[in-house]
């Protein structure tokens, strides 16, 4: 088996056909993914038997945009499954992206067991939410201004709000055009401003058919600075009642517990669990050093991270003034499963869960206090699908 970039258009067509069969949907955005991502194919002779797309982007963790690789569209020919094709593809792109500077990698999947064996771990979950549009109608009038956003560049309000979470993509300019293609029936992005002209919220949506006559609004982005801004956003959405009676939020569009909907007059949302997202620390030392840490966290940690298939990695680092630096010459005294450390890094489990579930060895009071101080106040949320 050979792993290579697409050699010609026919390779891309075969990859698209594999993806169509694997996901029961057409891969219509292959051109933009090929332009901005790294598509790698598994070949058996001249035949394409599998493929993967790696999207080099940056993801926010603790307010910093870390070098990342989003894994998308992993598929294998039906007659080749169970032969290690996907594993080889993922090992290849992970090594390739790490060599170019990526320290973390994210993906969406319902197949947790498979990706755990390959080094990814659960980092967060997503839900779809549905709510009657009338529930968003405010009891008091909210005056606002609305403008359609040009989807050719990153939006500063999105970047400001996304950086408060662990996981959101720091969307490059092409990502916006990918998410909001210039088509008559595609989703549109709107900036909601107060009467002073200050941008307070971003709402993306498209009307979609439900049944022969019905419509609902499908929300693709929902960002609000505070409850007042959420009130403006909800007023804008509720004013689309002539188009739809129901609002559906795409998977991941709302963060856990959906605090923005607390401004709704009726909290009548119906929620369904969607695929979780998983994270891999391609370069654990780099991932620790690149992100900021709370100022209260001061000290040093000597870690032994136990990975899948019995692998282990030693990490020693000191933390001071919000920065971490790896050091040498220390002996690891704290042993943790790499999987749980990854979930803790993402903000999805607490320090107590990390130490209790991980059955960590040689935990001292200093270790416990330092890890707790490092946890900070950010929470995991990945609002982008890929």
């Amino acid at each position: 088996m050979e792993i290579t970039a697409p050699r010609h258009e026919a390779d891309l067509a075969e990859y698209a056909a594999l993806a169509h069969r694997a996901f029961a949907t057409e891969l219509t955005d292959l051109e933009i993914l090929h332009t901005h991502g790294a598509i790698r194919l598994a070949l058996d002779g001249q035949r394409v038997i599998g493929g993967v797309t790696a999207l080099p982007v940056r993801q926010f963790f603790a307010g910093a945009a870390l070098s990342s690789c989003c894994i998308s569209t992993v598929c294998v020919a039906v007659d080749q499954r169970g032969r290690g094709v996907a594993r080889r593809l993922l090992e290849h792109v992970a090594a390739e992206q790490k060599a170019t500077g990526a320290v973390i990698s994210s993906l969406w999947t319902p197949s947790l067991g498979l990706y755990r064996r390959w080094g990814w771990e659960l980092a967060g979950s997503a839900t779809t939410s549905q709510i009657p549009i009338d529930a968003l109608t405010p009891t008091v009038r909210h005056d606002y201004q609305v403008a359609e956003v040009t989807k050719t560049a990153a939006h500063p309000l999105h970047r400001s709000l996304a950086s408060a979470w662990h996981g959101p993509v720091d969307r490059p300019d092409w990502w916006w055009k990918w998410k909001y293609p210039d088509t008559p029936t595609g989703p549109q992005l709107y900036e909601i401003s107060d009467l002073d002209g200050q941008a307070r919220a971003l709402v993306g949506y498209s009307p979609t058919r439900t049944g022969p006559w019905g419509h609902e609004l499908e929300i693709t982005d929902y960002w609000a600075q505070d409850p007042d801004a959420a009130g403006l956003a909800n007023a804008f959405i509720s004013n689309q009642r002539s188009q739809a009676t129901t609002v559906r939020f795409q998977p991941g569009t709302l963060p856990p517990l959906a605090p923005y909907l607390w401004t709704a007059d009726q909290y009548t949302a119906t929620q369904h669990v969607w695929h979780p997202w998983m994270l891999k620390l391609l370069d654990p030392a780099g991932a620790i050093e690149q992100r900021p840490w709370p100022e209260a966290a001061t000290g040093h940690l000597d870690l032994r991270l136990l990975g899948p298939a019995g692998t282990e990695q030693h990490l020693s680092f000191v933390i001071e003034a919000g920065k971490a630096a790896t050091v040498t010459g220390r002996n690891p005294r704290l042993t943790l499963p790499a999987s749980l450390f990854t979930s803790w890094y993402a903000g999805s489990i607490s320090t107590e869960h990390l130490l209790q579930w991980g059955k960590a060895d040689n935990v001292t009071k200093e270790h416990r206090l330092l890890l707790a101080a490092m946890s900070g106040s950010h929470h995991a949320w990945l609002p982008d699908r890929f």
Side-chain angles (χ1 to χ4, degrees):
M1 183 176 68
E2 177 189 1
I3 296 178
T4 180
R7 301 163 299 175
H8 38 61
E9 290 297 321
D11 279 354
L12 291 175
E14 286 192 60
Y15 177 39
L18 284 181
H20 189 181
R21 285 192 290 272
F23 303 110
T25 185
E26 290 192 57
L27 197 64
T28 57
D29 48 6
L30 194 60
E31 183 176 346
I32 192 166
L33 295 180
H34 183 41
T35 302
H36 299 285
I39 292 178
R40 295 296 177 260
L41 305 176
L43 304 181
D44 182 5
Q46 296 300 305
R47 179 192 174 199
V48 176
I49 59 172
V52 61
T53 299
L55 303 173
V57 293
R58 303 183 79 83
Q59 282 183 266
F60 288 111
F61 280 85
L66 276 60
S67 301
S68 175
C69 160
C70 294
I71 300 295
S72 175
T73 324
V74 182
C75 54
V76 176
V78 173
D79 62 309
Q80 298 295 316
R81 293 173 186 170
R83 300 183 179 181
V85 176
R87 176 183 57 80
R88 289 275 303 278
L89 281 165
L90 288 165
E91 287 175 350
H92 182 93
V93 295
E96 201 172 58
Q97 293 297 315
K98 180 181 176 181
T100 62
V103 296
I104 58 175
S105 175
S106 296
L107 53 84
W108 290 97
T109 182
S111 305
L112 272 67
L114 277 176
Y115 287 93
R116 275 198 176 107
R117 291 201 293 270
W118 301 330
W120 277 264
E121 187 47 62
L122 185 66
S125 59
T127 58
T128 60
S129 302
Q130 190 168 308
I131 188 170
I133 198 168
D134 287 339
L136 297 178
T137 305
T139 51
V140 223
R141 180 181 175 85
H142 284 70
D143 292 320
Y144 59 84
Q145 304 178 66
V146 58
E148 188 173 335
V149 176
T150 303
K151 283 82 65 176
T152 56
H155 196 284
L157 181 60
H158 167 267
R159 196 169 196 278
S160 170
L161 298 179
S163 63
W165 299 85
H166 290 322
V169 173
D170 185 8
R171 300 177 189 167
D173 294 348
W174 66 265
W175 192 286
W176 290 93
K177 290 182 281 187
W178 176 39
K179 190 176 176 77
Y180 293 97
D182 189 14
T183 59
T185 57
Q188 300 296 320
L189 184 65
Y190 298 94
E191 179 183 271
I192 316 300
S193 303
D194 57 27
L195 295 183
D196 293 328
Q198 180 182 357
R200 303 290 302 284
L202 285 177
V203 174
Y205 80 85
S206 63
T208 59
R209 276 283 183 90
T210 56
W213 300 105
H215 284 76
E216 67 178 7
L217 293 186
E218 185 167 16
I219 306 297
T220 52
D221 263 303
Y222 188 107
W223 299 88
Q225 281 183 321
D226 49 44
D228 289 339
L232 298 180
N234 291 350
F236 166 70
I237 293 171
S238 69
N239 282 340
Q240 316 310 313
R241 286 189 299 275
S242 61
Q243 287 185 286
T245 58
T246 305
V247 178
R248 178 182 178 273
F249 292 85
Q250 278 189 351
T253 305
L254 291 178
L257 299 181
Y260 301 142
L261 291 185
W262 292 347
T263 61
D265 291 324
Q266 305 171 46
Y267 198 85
T268 55
T270 302
Q271 295 186 319
H272 299 281
V273 176
W274 199 65
H275 302 340
W277 62 281
M278 303 186 81
L279 182 71
K280 181 176 183 176
L281 305 184
L282 298 177
D283 176 6
I288 290 168
E289 288 183 321
Q290 279 194 19
R291 66 177 270 183
W293 298 95
E295 294 286 336
T298 301
H300 73 264
L301 277 177
D302 304 312
L303 297 177
R304 177 185 290 110
L305 298 182
L306 303 180
T311 60
E312 65 177 62
Q313 184 167 8
H314 297 178
L315 290 174
S316 296
F317 53 94
V318 295
I319 303 172
E320 188 176 8
K323 296 182 180 296
T326 55
V327 295
T328 56
R330 300 186 185 273
N331 295 316
R333 291 181 295 174
L334 179 57
T335 300
L336 291 167
S339 56
L340 288 182
F341 184 78
T342 300
S343 294
W344 174 85
Y345 181 95
S348 59
I349 64 171
S350 66
T351 296
E352 289 305 313
H353 285 150
L354 171 70
L355 298 178
Q356 180 182 356
W357 295 350
K359 298 179 181 176
D361 300 326
N362 303 319
V363 180
T364 65
K365 181 180 178 181
E366 288 73 20
H367 287 140
R368 191 179 298 273
L369 290 175
L370 179 55
L371 285 167
M374 290 169 68
S375 296
S377 58
H378 290 68
H379 297 284
W381 177 33
L382 180 53
D384 285 299
R385 294 183 293 165
F386 38 83

